[in-house]
Amino acid sequence: MLELSILGFLAEEPLHGYELKERIKALSGHVRPVSDGALYPAITRLTRAGLLDQHTEPGASAAPRRILSLTEEGHADLLERLRRPKQAEITDQVRFNTVLAFLRHLPEPREQAAVLRRRLEFLDAPSSFFYREGEPVRAEQAGDLFRQGMLRVARATGTAERAWLAEAIELLDPAGEGQAN
């Protein structure tokens, strides 16, 4: 998720590390904060892999700033990560939001729709936070006010997300060409 965020934001424009950290924090920091101890080693890994380039520019009133940008290889890697997100990036809401934030970089609408279809298929599978005798527990069966609340909110957000996904897929791929056979 961190590497995808780095590549995604740098696909939009070159940034220095602090700006990049602030953008990542705005995207997911309220749920999963990004520390310097995670960000800068990730930047180093991506740079060593040839996915990022860095150069130094004079600072406005401070020390020189290290500016990061995406290489051609980095752009290709970003597109591949977006075309084929890991399963956790489909099933985990925060990770999926990160994919969603950068999905516009995929050039083909049918490829975008294929990713959205994977999320929709996941949401359509019966599931719950709680199970009884191997079956998902519905809000009406929760038996306590707080679990019932969790399940009702999850059902409402799931319903809204499924509706949006269906609309977006129809706009992106009305003929269903990106569907797997």
Side-chain angles (χ1 to χ4, degrees):
M1 185 177 83
L2 180 57
E3 289 184 356
L4 178 60
S5 296
I6 292 168
L7 296 170
F9 281 121
L10 293 177
E12 295 169 1
E13 66 180 309
L15 298 166
H16 66 77
Y18 178 78
E19 290 173 322
L20 182 59
K21 181 179 177 182
E22 289 302 303
R23 291 186 189 192
I24 294 170
K25 189 165 68 171
L27 180 61
S28 63
H30 63 287
V31 178
R32 297 192 179 134
V34 60
S35 68
D36 290 348
L39 178 63
Y40 290 100
I43 289 171
T44 300
R45 279 192 310 276
L46 293 171
T47 302
R48 285 187 181 147
L51 306 180
L52 302 182
D53 187 34
Q54 55 185 326
H55 67 279
T56 304
E57 289 183 357
S61 62
R65 300 183 324 165
R66 190 171 66 164
I67 304 297
L68 303 162
S69 58
L70 210 55
T71 64
E72 286 183 34
E73 294 85 3
H75 190 263
D77 187 79
L78 170 64
L79 296 180
E80 186 58 28
R81 289 172 191 246
L82 292 171
R83 279 185 188 104
R84 292 173 186 76
K86 297 174 185 170
Q87 187 61 16
E89 294 169 337
I90 295 296
T91 61
D92 180 280
Q93 182 67 54
V94 175
R95 290 179 184 202
F96 182 69
N97 281 344
T98 301
V99 170
L100 212 51
F102 304 111
L103 199 56
R104 67 186 179 88
H105 292 293
L106 276 181
E108 292 293 326
R110 64 181 171 71
E111 290 180 320
Q112 296 165 339
V115 173
L116 299 182
R117 273 191 195 90
R118 283 185 59 198
R119 176 69 177 179
L120 185 57
E121 288 167 8
F122 164 72
L123 291 175
D124 283 343
S127 68
S128 178
F129 294 110
F130 311 105
Y131 288 82
R132 188 174 298 126
E133 297 175 13
E135 294 296 317
V137 173
R138 298 181 49 81
E140 298 75 21
Q141 305 165 324
D144 98 38
L145 177 67
F146 307 105
R147 287 186 175 190
Q148 183 184 58
M150 285 176 65
L151 294 167
R152 286 177 59 190
V153 168
R155 180 171 51 206
T157 56
T159 299
E161 185 177 358
R162 279 192 294 280
W164 176 81
L165 286 165
E167 290 170 19
I169 291 166
E170 181 61 27
L171 283 171
L172 294 167
D173 190 17
E177 294 174 11
Q179 286 185 301
N181 294 335

